[in-house]
Amino acid sequence: MRIRSKVAAAVAALAVLGSGVASADAKPAADNPYQRGPDPTMGSIEADRGPFAVTQAPVPAGDGFGGGTVTYPNDTSQGTFGAVAIAPGFLEPEPLLGWLGPRLASQGFVVLTIATNSLVDFPTARADQLLAGLKFLAEKSPAKDRIDKSRLAVMGISMGGGGTLEAAERDPALKAAIPIVPWDIGRSFSGVRTPTLVVAGQGDIIAPTPMHAKAFYDSLSPGLNKAYVEIAGGGHFGPPLPNVPTAKYSISWLKRFVDDDTRYEQFLCPIPKDPQASAFEGNCPHT
Ligand code: 9J6
């Protein structure tokens, strides 16, 4: 009897370790019901994976966007998670975003990487599809019961980054926006009320920063929680491909503004002196 229960306990302990939740089971802080996961470190935001084991499910086309992949934490013991929809750029298929699904979801977010209806959709159509993706996530996706519908965010690459800014402009209830090497034309985004992190590539010749990323950043309201990080040596395809600075500042931004998790403020303010960034600006401290 004694031995049997010890064996059972050992098996149960192994099962917990195997599921990957053992390091993610820190209880939410009493003063912030949205806080998820253990205290972060530079190592934890730079790592390929966060503490949450995740599951992926394919999403068919037909809900206003071209289908994609939902990636969500397996853990249901801590309540719901914030959610983010991510759009690719012009001519870019959804798998280009594949690295971001597990990278962000394993930190404690439900992530939808979308394919666009057409590979040649312009930013306004990509904004439509990001917002349709969030609606799908919250209402129909396999992860719908895991999502806090009041804490949603948008991200996107290039024309998907232009779509990210347009989506934020249209829906001020969004908690965070992260346009990556954003491309759009004839736009200024002074009406955006959503905290926005612009990620740029230093040597981007397809969406040159003075006309795109930096111009959009500069057009954001002076009092907004906003930041501009330019990846040193990165061109138009540097920041969108797997890389540490895009990942770690995106994770920190989502945590800070989707989860209101001030444990991540240390990675954003004061403005980091990061050799991987050729420029870094922002409003600090965040409010
Ligand atoms: O990579 C992107 O999504 C933006 C590329 C812009 C290229 C361009 O000028 O398209 C005009 C149709």
PDB file of all heavy atoms in Angstrom, residues 85-92 97 114 116 119 121-128 130 154-168 177-184 236:
ATOM      1  N   ALA A  85      -3.404  38.270 -32.502  1.00  0.00           N
ATOM      2  CA  ALA A  85      -3.460  37.819 -33.892  1.00  0.00           C
ATOM      3  C   ALA A  85      -2.294  38.455 -34.641  1.00  0.00           C
ATOM      4  O   ALA A  85      -1.966  39.627 -34.415  1.00  0.00           O
ATOM      5  CB  ALA A  85      -4.783  38.215 -34.541  1.00  0.00           C
ATOM      6  N   ILE A  86      -1.674  37.667 -35.536  1.00  0.00           N
ATOM      7  CA  ILE A  86      -0.465  38.113 -36.241  1.00  0.00           C
ATOM      8  C   ILE A  86      -0.639  37.884 -37.745  1.00  0.00           C
ATOM      9  O   ILE A  86      -0.997  36.786 -38.174  1.00  0.00           O
ATOM     10  CB  ILE A  86       0.787  37.345 -35.770  1.00  0.00           C
ATOM     11  CG1 ILE A  86       0.849  37.269 -34.235  1.00  0.00           C
ATOM     12  CG2 ILE A  86       2.052  37.990 -36.336  1.00  0.00           C
ATOM     13  CD1 ILE A  86       2.029  36.464 -33.698  1.00  0.00           C
ATOM     14  N   ALA A  87      -0.364  38.947 -38.532  1.00  0.00           N
ATOM     15  CA  ALA A  87      -0.522  38.865 -39.993  1.00  0.00           C
ATOM     16  C   ALA A  87       0.830  38.965 -40.697  1.00  0.00           C
ATOM     17  O   ALA A  87       1.694  39.744 -40.283  1.00  0.00           O
ATOM     18  CB  ALA A  87      -1.422  39.992 -40.482  1.00  0.00           C
ATOM     19  N   PRO A  88       1.005  38.223 -41.775  1.00  0.00           N
ATOM     20  CA  PRO A  88       2.240  38.306 -42.560  1.00  0.00           C
ATOM     21  C   PRO A  88       2.203  39.491 -43.533  1.00  0.00           C
ATOM     22  O   PRO A  88       1.221  40.223 -43.602  1.00  0.00           O
ATOM     23  CB  PRO A  88       2.242  36.984 -43.323  1.00  0.00           C
ATOM     24  CG  PRO A  88       0.785  36.691 -43.540  1.00  0.00           C
ATOM     25  CD  PRO A  88       0.062  37.257 -42.335  1.00  0.00           C
ATOM     26  N   GLY A  89       3.287  39.641 -44.295  1.00  0.00           N
ATOM     27  CA  GLY A  89       3.391  40.726 -45.266  1.00  0.00           C
ATOM     28  C   GLY A  89       3.007  40.312 -46.675  1.00  0.00           C
ATOM     29  O   GLY A  89       2.621  39.161 -46.926  1.00  0.00           O
ATOM     30  N   PHE A  90       3.141  41.283 -47.588  1.00  0.00           N
ATOM     31  CA  PHE A  90       2.820  41.121 -49.008  1.00  0.00           C
ATOM     32  C   PHE A  90       3.550  39.901 -49.570  1.00  0.00           C
ATOM     33  O   PHE A  90       4.769  39.771 -49.411  1.00  0.00           O
ATOM     34  CB  PHE A  90       3.273  42.397 -49.724  1.00  0.00           C
ATOM     35  CG  PHE A  90       2.770  42.580 -51.112  1.00  0.00           C
ATOM     36  CD1 PHE A  90       1.429  42.840 -51.350  1.00  0.00           C
ATOM     37  CD2 PHE A  90       3.651  42.531 -52.186  1.00  0.00           C
ATOM     38  CE1 PHE A  90       0.971  43.046 -52.646  1.00  0.00           C
ATOM     39  CE2 PHE A  90       3.201  42.740 -53.482  1.00  0.00           C
ATOM     40  CZ  PHE A  90       1.854  42.996 -53.718  1.00  0.00           C
ATOM     41  N   LEU A  91       2.820  39.020 -50.196  1.00  0.00           N
ATOM     42  CA  LEU A  91       3.340  37.789 -50.820  1.00  0.00           C
ATOM     43  C   LEU A  91       3.870  36.767 -49.816  1.00  0.00           C
ATOM     44  O   LEU A  91       4.444  35.757 -50.206  1.00  0.00           O
ATOM     45  CB  LEU A  91       4.445  38.093 -51.857  1.00  0.00           C
ATOM     46  CG  LEU A  91       4.036  38.984 -53.032  1.00  0.00           C
ATOM     47  CD1 LEU A  91       5.239  39.197 -53.969  1.00  0.00           C
ATOM     48  CD2 LEU A  91       2.871  38.356 -53.811  1.00  0.00           C
ATOM     49  N   GLU A  92       3.683  37.041 -48.517  1.00  0.00           N
ATOM     50  CA  GLU A  92       4.238  36.125 -47.512  1.00  0.00           C
ATOM     51  C   GLU A  92       3.192  35.119 -47.026  1.00  0.00           C
ATOM     52  O   GLU A  92       2.109  35.506 -46.586  1.00  0.00           O
ATOM     53  CB  GLU A  92       4.779  36.917 -46.317  1.00  0.00           C
ATOM     54  CG  GLU A  92       6.025  37.730 -46.658  1.00  0.00           C
ATOM     55  CD  GLU A  92       6.460  38.662 -45.539  1.00  0.00           C
ATOM     56  OE1 GLU A  92       5.795  38.720 -44.486  1.00  0.00           O
ATOM     57  OE2 GLU A  92       7.467  39.355 -45.736  1.00  0.00           O
ATOM     58  N   LEU A  97       5.442  33.101 -40.240  1.00  0.00           N
ATOM     59  CA  LEU A  97       5.173  33.524 -38.864  1.00  0.00           C
ATOM     60  C   LEU A  97       5.278  32.363 -37.884  1.00  0.00           C
ATOM     61  O   LEU A  97       5.066  32.548 -36.682  1.00  0.00           O
ATOM     62  CB  LEU A  97       3.750  34.100 -38.761  1.00  0.00           C
ATOM     63  CG  LEU A  97       3.385  35.227 -39.727  1.00  0.00           C
ATOM     64  CD1 LEU A  97       1.900  35.532 -39.625  1.00  0.00           C
ATOM     65  CD2 LEU A  97       4.206  36.469 -39.423  1.00  0.00           C
ATOM     66  N   ILE A 114      -2.140  34.213 -38.924  1.00  0.00           N
ATOM     67  CA  ILE A 114      -3.109  34.073 -40.015  1.00  0.00           C
ATOM     68  C   ILE A 114      -2.420  34.040 -41.379  1.00  0.00           C
ATOM     69  O   ILE A 114      -1.353  34.634 -41.583  1.00  0.00           O
ATOM     70  CB  ILE A 114      -4.174  35.204 -40.020  1.00  0.00           C
ATOM     71  CG1 ILE A 114      -3.575  36.586 -40.346  1.00  0.00           C
ATOM     72  CG2 ILE A 114      -4.929  35.248 -38.699  1.00  0.00           C
ATOM     73  CD1 ILE A 114      -4.642  37.640 -40.676  1.00  0.00           C
ATOM     74  N   THR A 116      -3.415  35.438 -45.115  1.00  0.00           N
ATOM     75  CA  THR A 116      -4.367  36.431 -45.622  1.00  0.00           C
ATOM     76  C   THR A 116      -5.217  35.799 -46.722  1.00  0.00           C
ATOM     77  O   THR A 116      -4.838  34.791 -47.324  1.00  0.00           O
ATOM     78  CB  THR A 116      -3.631  37.682 -46.121  1.00  0.00           C
ATOM     79  OG1 THR A 116      -2.488  37.290 -46.877  1.00  0.00           O
ATOM     80  CG2 THR A 116      -3.179  38.518 -44.933  1.00  0.00           C
ATOM     81  N   LEU A 119      -2.552  36.731 -51.111  1.00  0.00           N
ATOM     82  CA  LEU A 119      -1.161  37.102 -50.806  1.00  0.00           C
ATOM     83  C   LEU A 119      -0.880  38.556 -51.158  1.00  0.00           C
ATOM     84  O   LEU A 119       0.108  39.121 -50.694  1.00  0.00           O
ATOM     85  CB  LEU A 119      -0.193  36.192 -51.571  1.00  0.00           C
ATOM     86  CG  LEU A 119      -0.104  34.746 -51.091  1.00  0.00           C
ATOM     87  CD1 LEU A 119       0.796  33.929 -52.025  1.00  0.00           C
ATOM     88  CD2 LEU A 119       0.423  34.656 -49.660  1.00  0.00           C
ATOM     89  N   ASP A 121      -3.106  41.137 -50.634  1.00  0.00           N
ATOM     90  CA  ASP A 121      -3.940  42.088 -49.882  1.00  0.00           C
ATOM     91  C   ASP A 121      -3.093  43.256 -49.373  1.00  0.00           C
ATOM     92  O   ASP A 121      -1.964  43.063 -48.932  1.00  0.00           O
ATOM     93  CB  ASP A 121      -4.593  41.385 -48.685  1.00  0.00           C
ATOM     94  CG  ASP A 121      -5.740  40.493 -49.092  1.00  0.00           C
ATOM     95  OD1 ASP A 121      -6.333  40.724 -50.171  1.00  0.00           O
ATOM     96  OD2 ASP A 121      -6.053  39.548 -48.331  1.00  0.00           O
ATOM     97  N   PHE A 122      -3.697  44.454 -49.404  1.00  0.00           N
ATOM     98  CA  PHE A 122      -3.021  45.647 -48.906  1.00  0.00           C
ATOM     99  C   PHE A 122      -3.310  45.815 -47.403  1.00  0.00           C
ATOM    100  O   PHE A 122      -4.087  45.059 -46.821  1.00  0.00           O
ATOM    101  CB  PHE A 122      -3.434  46.862 -49.753  1.00  0.00           C
ATOM    102  CG  PHE A 122      -2.433  47.163 -50.833  1.00  0.00           C
ATOM    103  CD1 PHE A 122      -1.999  46.173 -51.700  1.00  0.00           C
ATOM    104  CD2 PHE A 122      -1.892  48.440 -50.973  1.00  0.00           C
ATOM    105  CE1 PHE A 122      -1.045  46.430 -52.681  1.00  0.00           C
ATOM    106  CE2 PHE A 122      -0.941  48.709 -51.956  1.00  0.00           C
ATOM    107  CZ  PHE A 122      -0.512  47.714 -52.809  1.00  0.00           C
ATOM    108  N   PRO A 123      -2.645  46.804 -46.760  1.00  0.00           N
ATOM    109  CA  PRO A 123      -2.756  46.908 -45.296  1.00  0.00           C
ATOM    110  C   PRO A 123      -4.181  47.007 -44.760  1.00  0.00           C
ATOM    111  O   PRO A 123      -4.483  46.387 -43.721  1.00  0.00           O
ATOM    112  CB  PRO A 123      -1.948  48.173 -44.978  1.00  0.00           C
ATOM    113  CG  PRO A 123      -0.874  48.173 -46.021  1.00  0.00           C
ATOM    114  CD  PRO A 123      -1.572  47.700 -47.274  1.00  0.00           C
ATOM    115  N   THR A 124      -5.061  47.737 -45.422  1.00  0.00           N
ATOM    116  CA  THR A 124      -6.421  47.881 -44.888  1.00  0.00           C
ATOM    117  C   THR A 124      -7.128  46.522 -44.837  1.00  0.00           C
ATOM    118  O   THR A 124      -7.809  46.205 -43.848  1.00  0.00           O
ATOM    119  CB  THR A 124      -7.226  48.888 -45.739  1.00  0.00           C
ATOM    120  OG1 THR A 124      -6.531  50.147 -45.707  1.00  0.00           O
ATOM    121  CG2 THR A 124      -8.628  49.079 -45.198  1.00  0.00           C
ATOM    122  N   ALA A 125      -6.920  45.708 -45.864  1.00  0.00           N
ATOM    123  CA  ALA A 125      -7.509  44.364 -45.866  1.00  0.00           C
ATOM    124  C   ALA A 125      -6.871  43.495 -44.786  1.00  0.00           C
ATOM    125  O   ALA A 125      -7.522  42.634 -44.183  1.00  0.00           O
ATOM    126  CB  ALA A 125      -7.337  43.719 -47.239  1.00  0.00           C
ATOM    127  N   ARG A 126      -5.597  43.727 -44.535  1.00  0.00           N
ATOM    128  CA  ARG A 126      -4.918  42.957 -43.474  1.00  0.00           C
ATOM    129  C   ARG A 126      -5.427  43.362 -42.090  1.00  0.00           C
ATOM    130  O   ARG A 126      -5.522  42.538 -41.185  1.00  0.00           O
ATOM    131  CB  ARG A 126      -3.389  43.104 -43.606  1.00  0.00           C
ATOM    132  CG  ARG A 126      -2.881  42.348 -44.823  1.00  0.00           C
ATOM    133  CD  ARG A 126      -1.423  42.623 -45.189  1.00  0.00           C
ATOM    134  NE  ARG A 126      -1.199  42.177 -46.568  1.00  0.00           N
ATOM    135  CZ  ARG A 126      -0.661  41.001 -46.928  1.00  0.00           C
ATOM    136  NH1 ARG A 126      -0.200  40.179 -46.020  1.00  0.00           N
ATOM    137  NH2 ARG A 126      -0.561  40.660 -48.200  1.00  0.00           N
ATOM    138  N   ALA A 127      -5.779  44.645 -41.932  1.00  0.00           N
ATOM    139  CA  ALA A 127      -6.397  45.084 -40.669  1.00  0.00           C
ATOM    140  C   ALA A 127      -7.746  44.400 -40.477  1.00  0.00           C
ATOM    141  O   ALA A 127      -8.056  43.897 -39.381  1.00  0.00           O
ATOM    142  CB  ALA A 127      -6.562  46.604 -40.665  1.00  0.00           C
ATOM    143  N   ASP A 128      -8.558  44.373 -41.546  1.00  0.00           N
ATOM    144  CA  ASP A 128      -9.849  43.670 -41.475  1.00  0.00           C
ATOM    145  C   ASP A 128      -9.639  42.242 -40.978  1.00  0.00           C
ATOM    146  O   ASP A 128     -10.393  41.729 -40.142  1.00  0.00           O
ATOM    147  CB  ASP A 128     -10.495  43.543 -42.874  1.00  0.00           C
ATOM    148  CG  ASP A 128     -10.857  44.869 -43.512  1.00  0.00           C
ATOM    149  OD1 ASP A 128     -10.944  45.878 -42.786  1.00  0.00           O
ATOM    150  OD2 ASP A 128     -11.054  44.879 -44.751  1.00  0.00           O
ATOM    151  N   LEU A 130      -7.007  40.856 -39.382  1.00  0.00           N
ATOM    152  CA  LEU A 130      -6.533  40.746 -37.988  1.00  0.00           C
ATOM    153  C   LEU A 130      -7.713  40.845 -37.023  1.00  0.00           C
ATOM    154  O   LEU A 130      -7.814  40.065 -36.062  1.00  0.00           O
ATOM    155  CB  LEU A 130      -5.515  41.856 -37.684  1.00  0.00           C
ATOM    156  CG  LEU A 130      -4.101  41.633 -38.227  1.00  0.00           C
ATOM    157  CD1 LEU A 130      -3.296  42.931 -38.156  1.00  0.00           C
ATOM    158  CD2 LEU A 130      -3.397  40.515 -37.462  1.00  0.00           C
ATOM    159  N   VAL A 154      -2.643  42.917 -31.471  1.00  0.00           N
ATOM    160  CA  VAL A 154      -2.367  42.653 -32.886  1.00  0.00           C
ATOM    161  C   VAL A 154      -0.883  42.861 -33.183  1.00  0.00           C
ATOM    162  O   VAL A 154      -0.236  43.727 -32.600  1.00  0.00           O
ATOM    163  CB  VAL A 154      -3.204  43.555 -33.827  1.00  0.00           C
ATOM    164  CG1 VAL A 154      -4.641  43.051 -33.919  1.00  0.00           C
ATOM    165  CG2 VAL A 154      -3.180  45.020 -33.387  1.00  0.00           C
ATOM    166  N   MET A 155      -0.391  42.037 -34.114  1.00  0.00           N
ATOM    167  CA  MET A 155       0.983  42.152 -34.605  1.00  0.00           C
ATOM    168  C   MET A 155       0.956  41.889 -36.107  1.00  0.00           C
ATOM    169  O   MET A 155       0.019  41.270 -36.620  1.00  0.00           O
ATOM    170  CB  MET A 155       1.905  41.096 -33.962  1.00  0.00           C
ATOM    171  CG  MET A 155       2.085  41.223 -32.475  1.00  0.00           C
ATOM    172  SD  MET A 155       3.105  39.868 -31.769  1.00  0.00           S
ATOM    173  CE  MET A 155       4.712  40.165 -32.489  1.00  0.00           C
ATOM    174  N   GLY A 156       2.011  42.308 -36.794  1.00  0.00           N
ATOM    175  CA  GLY A 156       2.080  41.974 -38.211  1.00  0.00           C
ATOM    176  C   GLY A 156       3.368  42.447 -38.835  1.00  0.00           C
ATOM    177  O   GLY A 156       4.043  43.331 -38.315  1.00  0.00           O
ATOM    178  N   ILE A 157       3.683  41.800 -39.961  1.00  0.00           N
ATOM    179  CA  ILE A 157       4.913  42.067 -40.702  1.00  0.00           C
ATOM    180  C   ILE A 157       4.588  42.931 -41.914  1.00  0.00           C
ATOM    181  O   ILE A 157       3.678  42.610 -42.683  1.00  0.00           O
ATOM    182  CB  ILE A 157       5.504  40.736 -41.235  1.00  0.00           C
ATOM    183  CG1 ILE A 157       5.609  39.652 -40.150  1.00  0.00           C
ATOM    184  CG2 ILE A 157       6.838  40.985 -41.927  1.00  0.00           C
ATOM    185  CD1 ILE A 157       6.528  39.951 -39.030  1.00  0.00           C
ATOM    186  N   SER A 158       5.347  44.016 -42.096  1.00  0.00           N
ATOM    187  CA  SER A 158       5.301  44.810 -43.335  1.00  0.00           C
ATOM    188  C   SER A 158       3.878  45.297 -43.641  1.00  0.00           C
ATOM    189  O   SER A 158       3.320  46.044 -42.848  1.00  0.00           O
ATOM    190  CB  SER A 158       5.914  44.003 -44.473  1.00  0.00           C
ATOM    191  OG  SER A 158       6.184  44.853 -45.549  1.00  0.00           O
ATOM    192  N   MET A 159       3.253  44.859 -44.741  1.00  0.00           N
ATOM    193  CA  MET A 159       1.862  45.289 -44.954  1.00  0.00           C
ATOM    194  C   MET A 159       0.970  44.778 -43.822  1.00  0.00           C
ATOM    195  O   MET A 159      -0.050  45.397 -43.514  1.00  0.00           O
ATOM    196  CB  MET A 159       1.335  44.821 -46.307  1.00  0.00           C
ATOM    197  CG  MET A 159       1.889  45.606 -47.489  1.00  0.00           C
ATOM    198  SD  MET A 159       0.860  45.351 -48.944  1.00  0.00           S
ATOM    199  CE  MET A 159       1.939  45.980 -50.237  1.00  0.00           C
ATOM    200  N   GLY A 160       1.364  43.674 -43.197  1.00  0.00           N
ATOM    201  CA  GLY A 160       0.647  43.215 -41.998  1.00  0.00           C
ATOM    202  C   GLY A 160       0.915  44.136 -40.809  1.00  0.00           C
ATOM    203  O   GLY A 160       0.088  44.250 -39.894  1.00  0.00           O
ATOM    204  N   GLY A 161       2.076  44.812 -40.825  1.00  0.00           N
ATOM    205  CA  GLY A 161       2.387  45.806 -39.799  1.00  0.00           C
ATOM    206  C   GLY A 161       1.594  47.089 -40.029  1.00  0.00           C
ATOM    207  O   GLY A 161       1.121  47.717 -39.071  1.00  0.00           O
ATOM    208  N   GLY A 162       1.435  47.467 -41.316  1.00  0.00           N
ATOM    209  CA  GLY A 162       0.529  48.579 -41.629  1.00  0.00           C
ATOM    210  C   GLY A 162      -0.881  48.234 -41.187  1.00  0.00           C
ATOM    211  O   GLY A 162      -1.604  49.059 -40.605  1.00  0.00           O
ATOM    212  N   GLY A 163      -1.278  46.983 -41.441  1.00  0.00           N
ATOM    213  CA  GLY A 163      -2.602  46.514 -41.006  1.00  0.00           C
ATOM    214  C   GLY A 163      -2.741  46.520 -39.490  1.00  0.00           C
ATOM    215  O   GLY A 163      -3.811  46.802 -38.949  1.00  0.00           O
ATOM    216  N   THR A 164      -1.636  46.237 -38.806  1.00  0.00           N
ATOM    217  CA  THR A 164      -1.626  46.262 -37.332  1.00  0.00           C
ATOM    218  C   THR A 164      -1.940  47.672 -36.824  1.00  0.00           C
ATOM    219  O   THR A 164      -2.770  47.861 -35.923  1.00  0.00           O
ATOM    220  CB  THR A 164      -0.242  45.799 -36.831  1.00  0.00           C
ATOM    221  OG1 THR A 164      -0.082  44.421 -37.177  1.00  0.00           O
ATOM    222  CG2 THR A 164      -0.085  45.982 -35.340  1.00  0.00           C
ATOM    223  N   LEU A 165      -1.287  48.671 -37.425  1.00  0.00           N
ATOM    224  CA  LEU A 165      -1.534  50.065 -37.025  1.00  0.00           C
ATOM    225  C   LEU A 165      -2.960  50.487 -37.380  1.00  0.00           C
ATOM    226  O   LEU A 165      -3.628  51.172 -36.592  1.00  0.00           O
ATOM    227  CB  LEU A 165      -0.512  50.982 -37.708  1.00  0.00           C
ATOM    228  CG  LEU A 165       0.904  50.886 -37.121  1.00  0.00           C
ATOM    229  CD1 LEU A 165       1.953  51.349 -38.133  1.00  0.00           C
ATOM    230  CD2 LEU A 165       0.999  51.695 -35.834  1.00  0.00           C
ATOM    231  N   GLU A 166      -3.435  50.078 -38.552  1.00  0.00           N
ATOM    232  CA  GLU A 166      -4.808  50.432 -38.946  1.00  0.00           C
ATOM    233  C   GLU A 166      -5.834  49.754 -38.037  1.00  0.00           C
ATOM    234  O   GLU A 166      -6.872  50.341 -37.703  1.00  0.00           O
ATOM    235  CB  GLU A 166      -5.057  50.062 -40.418  1.00  0.00           C
ATOM    236  CG  GLU A 166      -4.250  50.921 -41.385  1.00  0.00           C
ATOM    237  CD  GLU A 166      -4.689  50.754 -42.836  1.00  0.00           C
ATOM    238  OE1 GLU A 166      -5.872  50.435 -43.074  1.00  0.00           O
ATOM    239  OE2 GLU A 166      -3.842  50.937 -43.734  1.00  0.00           O
ATOM    240  N   ALA A 167      -5.551  48.526 -37.636  1.00  0.00           N
ATOM    241  CA  ALA A 167      -6.467  47.810 -36.726  1.00  0.00           C
ATOM    242  C   ALA A 167      -6.526  48.520 -35.378  1.00  0.00           C
ATOM    243  O   ALA A 167      -7.599  48.694 -34.782  1.00  0.00           O
ATOM    244  CB  ALA A 167      -6.031  46.357 -36.558  1.00  0.00           C
ATOM    245  N   ALA A 168      -5.348  48.947 -34.886  1.00  0.00           N
ATOM    246  CA  ALA A 168      -5.303  49.649 -33.601  1.00  0.00           C
ATOM    247  C   ALA A 168      -6.039  50.981 -33.683  1.00  0.00           C
ATOM    248  O   ALA A 168      -6.739  51.387 -32.739  1.00  0.00           O
ATOM    249  CB  ALA A 168      -3.858  49.860 -33.174  1.00  0.00           C
ATOM    250  N   ALA A 177      -0.216  46.790 -29.700  1.00  0.00           N
ATOM    251  CA  ALA A 177       0.006  46.639 -31.143  1.00  0.00           C
ATOM    252  C   ALA A 177       1.509  46.585 -31.381  1.00  0.00           C
ATOM    253  O   ALA A 177       2.258  47.371 -30.788  1.00  0.00           O
ATOM    254  CB  ALA A 177      -0.608  47.812 -31.903  1.00  0.00           C
ATOM    255  N   ILE A 178       1.934  45.634 -32.235  1.00  0.00           N
ATOM    256  CA  ILE A 178       3.361  45.512 -32.557  1.00  0.00           C
ATOM    257  C   ILE A 178       3.524  45.391 -34.073  1.00  0.00           C
ATOM    258  O   ILE A 178       3.490  44.289 -34.628  1.00  0.00           O
ATOM    259  CB  ILE A 178       4.016  44.316 -31.839  1.00  0.00           C
ATOM    260  CG1 ILE A 178       3.737  44.368 -30.325  1.00  0.00           C
ATOM    261  CG2 ILE A 178       5.523  44.303 -32.119  1.00  0.00           C
ATOM    262  CD1 ILE A 178       4.310  43.197 -29.535  1.00  0.00           C
ATOM    263  N   PRO A 179       3.642  46.539 -34.760  1.00  0.00           N
ATOM    264  CA  PRO A 179       3.953  46.501 -36.185  1.00  0.00           C
ATOM    265  C   PRO A 179       5.444  46.251 -36.386  1.00  0.00           C
ATOM    266  O   PRO A 179       6.280  46.928 -35.777  1.00  0.00           O
ATOM    267  CB  PRO A 179       3.544  47.907 -36.663  1.00  0.00           C
ATOM    268  CG  PRO A 179       3.585  48.775 -35.448  1.00  0.00           C
ATOM    269  CD  PRO A 179       3.406  47.895 -34.242  1.00  0.00           C
ATOM    270  N   ILE A 180       5.771  45.252 -37.212  1.00  0.00           N
ATOM    271  CA  ILE A 180       7.163  44.859 -37.472  1.00  0.00           C
ATOM    272  C   ILE A 180       7.491  45.213 -38.924  1.00  0.00           C
ATOM    273  O   ILE A 180       6.750  44.835 -39.838  1.00  0.00           O
ATOM    274  CB  ILE A 180       7.340  43.351 -37.202  1.00  0.00           C
ATOM    275  CG1 ILE A 180       7.076  43.056 -35.716  1.00  0.00           C
ATOM    276  CG2 ILE A 180       8.735  42.875 -37.610  1.00  0.00           C
ATOM    277  CD1 ILE A 180       6.953  41.572 -35.381  1.00  0.00           C
ATOM    278  N   VAL A 181       8.571  45.949 -39.120  1.00  0.00           N
ATOM    279  CA  VAL A 181       8.908  46.528 -40.437  1.00  0.00           C
ATOM    280  C   VAL A 181       7.633  46.989 -41.167  1.00  0.00           C
ATOM    281  O   VAL A 181       7.403  46.638 -42.324  1.00  0.00           O
ATOM    282  CB  VAL A 181       9.787  45.600 -41.315  1.00  0.00           C
ATOM    283  CG1 VAL A 181      11.134  45.368 -40.681  1.00  0.00           C
ATOM    284  CG2 VAL A 181       9.126  44.243 -41.613  1.00  0.00           C
ATOM    285  N   PRO A 182       6.820  47.836 -40.503  1.00  0.00           N
ATOM    286  CA  PRO A 182       5.514  48.172 -41.095  1.00  0.00           C
ATOM    287  C   PRO A 182       5.648  48.919 -42.418  1.00  0.00           C
ATOM    288  O   PRO A 182       6.559  49.729 -42.588  1.00  0.00           O
ATOM    289  CB  PRO A 182       4.877  49.057 -40.023  1.00  0.00           C
ATOM    290  CG  PRO A 182       6.023  49.666 -39.293  1.00  0.00           C
ATOM    291  CD  PRO A 182       7.070  48.577 -39.258  1.00  0.00           C
ATOM    292  N   TRP A 183       4.718  48.620 -43.312  1.00  0.00           N
ATOM    293  CA  TRP A 183       4.634  49.293 -44.615  1.00  0.00           C
ATOM    294  C   TRP A 183       3.201  49.757 -44.804  1.00  0.00           C
ATOM    295  O   TRP A 183       2.250  48.989 -44.602  1.00  0.00           O
ATOM    296  CB  TRP A 183       4.996  48.317 -45.737  1.00  0.00           C
ATOM    297  CG  TRP A 183       5.078  48.926 -47.119  1.00  0.00           C
ATOM    298  CD1 TRP A 183       6.204  49.334 -47.775  1.00  0.00           C
ATOM    299  CD2 TRP A 183       3.988  49.166 -48.032  1.00  0.00           C
ATOM    300  NE1 TRP A 183       5.882  49.824 -49.026  1.00  0.00           N
ATOM    301  CE2 TRP A 183       4.530  49.734 -49.207  1.00  0.00           C
ATOM    302  CE3 TRP A 183       2.603  48.975 -47.965  1.00  0.00           C
ATOM    303  CZ2 TRP A 183       3.747  50.098 -50.309  1.00  0.00           C
ATOM    304  CZ3 TRP A 183       1.820  49.346 -49.060  1.00  0.00           C
ATOM    305  CH2 TRP A 183       2.393  49.899 -50.220  1.00  0.00           C
ATOM    306  N   ASP A 184       3.047  51.014 -45.131  1.00  0.00           N
ATOM    307  CA  ASP A 184       1.726  51.553 -45.478  1.00  0.00           C
ATOM    308  C   ASP A 184       1.984  52.826 -46.265  1.00  0.00           C
ATOM    309  O   ASP A 184       3.112  53.320 -46.296  1.00  0.00           O
ATOM    310  CB  ASP A 184       0.896  51.819 -44.205  1.00  0.00           C
ATOM    311  CG  ASP A 184      -0.609  51.644 -44.446  1.00  0.00           C
ATOM    312  OD1 ASP A 184      -1.057  51.819 -45.602  1.00  0.00           O
ATOM    313  OD2 ASP A 184      -1.330  51.322 -43.473  1.00  0.00           O
ATOM    314  N   HIS A 236      14.608  44.327 -44.414  1.00  0.00           N
ATOM    315  CA  HIS A 236      13.157  44.111 -44.374  1.00  0.00           C
ATOM    316  C   HIS A 236      12.810  42.718 -43.854  1.00  0.00           C
ATOM    317  O   HIS A 236      11.726  42.498 -43.333  1.00  0.00           O
ATOM    318  CB  HIS A 236      12.584  44.321 -45.773  1.00  0.00           C
ATOM    319  CG  HIS A 236      11.094  44.463 -45.814  1.00  0.00           C
ATOM    320  ND1 HIS A 236      10.437  45.482 -45.148  1.00  0.00           N
ATOM    321  CD2 HIS A 236      10.121  43.740 -46.431  1.00  0.00           C
ATOM    322  CE1 HIS A 236       9.119  45.369 -45.362  1.00  0.00           C
ATOM    323  NE2 HIS A 236       8.908  44.321 -46.131  1.00  0.00           N
TER     324      HIS A 236
END
